Amino acid sequence: MRCAICKKKAEVYLPHHNLALCREDFINFFLKRVKKAIDDFNMFEKEDRILLAVSGGKDSLSLWHALLKLGYNAIGLFIDLGIDKFSKLAREVVEKFSKKNKTNLITVKLENEFGGNTLPQIVERTKAIPCKVCGKIKRYYFDRIASKENFDVIATGHNLDDESAFLLGNVLNWNIEYLAKQLPALPEEDGFKKKVKPLIYLTEREIAIYAFFNEIYYNELNCPFSKKAKSHFYKESLHQMELSFKGLRIKFFKGFLRNQKIFGKVEKNYSLSPCKICGYPTSKEICGVCKIKINLGLIEREK
Ligand code: SF4
Ligand code: ZN
């Protein structure tokens, strides 16, 4: 098979674009898709400071690589959750990437923030649902650090597979509120920083190929808590459908983006005010993260 652009030997075939490409043209294709998402949704400009949430997986590291290649100012934020081998390897690959690419990395070690408790220990001691508490803690530190260090925007490595699986889950459960705000760029609001997803036009497979071609080493271990995530089931179902109906996933997601306005604006039935303990925006008196710290006996309710 020949590359559709330069006619050299093709190394990749992208079924849903019906496109064969050589290595060099695939990398260009990938970077163009990232740039297109950034421009389509006015995610950020060249002068903006981007805080990129890096987990050590292929998505966030490939996004970091692509943003640097495109000339953006992206600094990584890694949250070390303390999940045995998984977090150790994640930390190693993230640090290696930042060193190799001579770019800055901010690391938050959960143990240092939660009196020596890792995520598994927090889960065990507070009887919390792992991914729920993990998401809450991560969002908290992304926003806190972005505000404290004056970043313009927070970027995450969510890809087309993630977003279409999330969409399927929201449609099946008619989560209108989530559908109304499932946008690739969420504006700065209520004290929370702007959040963007520049990989929404790329599939997991395309990202894995980009990582391979650019020798990006990433953590291939699965988080031991991930098996319980419902989103895996939706992702797998879409993958199965895609095998019979090529391009279905991107059509599904792009169709949603075109029609997303029909879900209207989210009418908030709550107001946010600063947490009494740490100042983070919350609809209650005390934010979720301070509540975890209270449950662990690290801080007192009244301050
Ligand atoms: Fe956190 Fe769940 Fe992801 Fe593990 S799978 S890193 S617990 S959100
Ligand atoms: Zn708080």
Side-chain angles (χ1 to χ4, degrees), residues 81 83 86 119 130-131 134 138 223 225-226:
L81 301 165
I83 309 177
F86 171 75
L119 186 80
C131 294
C134 179
K138 285 193 286 199
C223 169
F225 294 118
S226 71

Side-chain angles (χ1 to χ4, degrees), residues 140-190:
Y140 179 89
Y141 286 101
F142 295 159
D143 265 300
R144 294 293 283 190
I145 288 166
S147 301
K148 206 170 125 216
E149 308 283 335
N150 267 322
F151 282 92
D152 297 290
V153 57
I154 300 169
T156 55
H158 294 95
N159 58 43
L160 180 64
D161 301 41
D162 300 324
E163 289 301 298
S164 45
F166 190 51
L167 174 60
L168 181 62
N170 285 337
V171 170
L172 291 176
N173 293 293
W174 287 116
N175 289 331
I176 301 291
E177 202 182 311
Y178 283 108
L179 288 164
K181 60 180 186 192
Q182 199 192 331
L183 295 163
L186 277 174
E188 181 162 4
E189 212 177 15
D190 294 329

Side-chain angles (χ1 to χ4, degrees), residues 140 144 274-282 285-291 293 299:
Y140 179 89
R144 294 293 283 190
C275 164
K276 273 176 90 177
I277 296 173
C278 71
Y280 185 72
T282 174
E285 273 199 345
I286 295 171
C287 79
V289 167
C290 285
K291 272 188 201 147
K293 290 184 180 174
I299 51 172

Side-chain angles (χ1 to χ4, degrees), residues 42-54:
N42 296 318
M43 292 185 179
F44 40 74
E45 303 291 335
K46 282 276 156 69
E47 59 278 10
D48 286 337
R49 292 185 73 228
I50 305 156
L51 183 65
L52 173 65
V54 282

